[in-house]
Amino acid sequence: MRKKWWLLLKIILEDHPLLGLVSVSLLLLLPQIISRNMIVGSDSIFHFNRFYDTAMQFKEGNFQYFSSMYGFQQSGRIVNALYSPYLAYLHGGLLLIAKTWFNYQLLSNFLLYVLSGFSMYALLKKLEVGTKIAFSIAVIYLSTLAVQYWITRQGFSSWGAALLPICLTPIISMTEKNDVKLDLGFYTALMFQTHFCQLSF
């Protein structure tokens, strides 16, 4: 039996490392799936209000880019326009698909794990690191505070941390070939849109 598991692990590592990262992501969700409990951290009220607002905009067809017409007690606060608006709409869409806050949390946590793992794996492969080592480091990255901050406290900087490794790949090309390409600007804008957007105001 142990040999079968070892053979399966070997096949995943050598032939399907991305499938392995998806499996590890599901494994990390198991405690919450089994306990059926929400994790409500210090930033959850703020971000859940943002996402509820965008979810309701989708549902009602009443798009208000600047004012919060549904979240934040319908106060009209300007939040999403200054804090990663496109990702807020993405999470609002996830909330509509998930239908409950618990399902949304599982779905968003899973996407964060997968995105973090794939992003780190892509960076390491760009650096020509071997598949097994790249997979192992990507799995370790999933357990770091930078990624877990969203899982335990709903700190949005984890989404920036998930994208950071892949956003570094153009810099490697730039140093190797001494050539600046358009994708460097795209990845820089993506990082600002994800978590650093408010610094530009």
Side-chain angles (χ1 to χ4, degrees), residues 47-55 88 91-92 95 104 150 156:
H47 291 300
F48 287 4
N49 264 285
R50 295 195 315 119
F51 305 152
Y52 175 75
D53 188 73
T54 56
H91 282 269
L95 179 58
Y104 158 77
W150 171 259
F156 208 67

Side-chain angles (χ1 to χ4, degrees), residues 70-119:
Y70 302 98
F72 300 101
Q73 298 177 327
Q74 301 176 342
S75 60
R77 289 176 62 183
I78 300 173
V79 178
N80 281 334
L82 302 176
Y83 201 124
S84 58
Y86 299 120
L87 272 179
Y89 280 102
L90 171 71
H91 282 269
L94 289 177
L95 179 58
L96 275 183
I97 292 167
K99 297 187 190 286
T100 68
W101 283 108
F102 176 73
N103 291 340
Y104 158 77
Q105 193 169 61
L106 286 178
L107 184 58
S108 66
N109 290 354
F110 175 72
L111 286 177
L112 178 69
Y113 280 138
V114 169
L115 183 61
S116 302
F118 282 22
S119 180

Side-chain angles (χ1 to χ4, degrees), residues 68-199:
S68 298
M69 303 307 291
Y70 302 98
F72 300 101
Q73 298 177 327
Q74 301 176 342
S75 60
R77 289 176 62 183
I78 300 173
V79 178
N80 281 334
L82 302 176
Y83 201 124
S84 58
Y86 299 120
L87 272 179
Y89 280 102
L90 171 71
H91 282 269
L94 289 177
L95 179 58
L96 275 183
I97 292 167
K99 297 187 190 286
T100 68
W101 283 108
F102 176 73
N103 291 340
Y104 158 77
Q105 193 169 61
L106 286 178
L107 184 58
S108 66
N109 290 354
F110 175 72
L111 286 177
L112 178 69
Y113 280 138
V114 169
L115 183 61
S116 302
F118 282 22
S119 180
M120 180 57 79
Y121 184 80
L123 173 64
L124 294 168
K125 292 307 287 181
K126 183 80 173 177
L127 290 167
E128 298 179 1
V129 175
T131 301
K132 290 180 183 178
I133 294 173
F135 177 82
S136 302
I137 294 173
V139 169
I140 291 169
Y141 188 61
L142 298 182
S143 65
T144 61
L145 178 61
V147 175
Q148 291 294 324
Y149 190 49
W150 171 259
I151 310 298
T152 59
R153 306 269 307 266
Q154 287 76 56
F156 208 67
S157 60
S158 293
W159 291 93
L163 290 168
L164 180 62
I166 202 163
C167 289
L168 295 175
T169 55
I171 297 173
I172 296 164
S173 300
M174 187 178 72
T175 55
E176 287 175 350
K177 300 175 183 175
N178 200 19
D179 184 25
V180 179
K181 291 187 178 178
L182 189 62
D183 57 351
L184 180 61
F186 170 77
Y187 284 123
T188 303
L190 182 63
M191 285 301 296
F192 266 81
Q193 171 56 221
T194 304
H195 192 256
F196 306 116
C197 180
Q198 65 271 30
L199 298 177

Side-chain angles (χ1 to χ4, degrees), residues 29-48:
L29 288 177
L30 268 181
Q32 189 175 8
I33 293 171
I34 292 168
S35 68
R36 302 285 302 169
N37 288 323
M38 280 278 295
I39 300 170
V40 180
S42 56
D43 288 349
S44 60
I45 301 299
F46 175 72
H47 291 300
F48 287 4

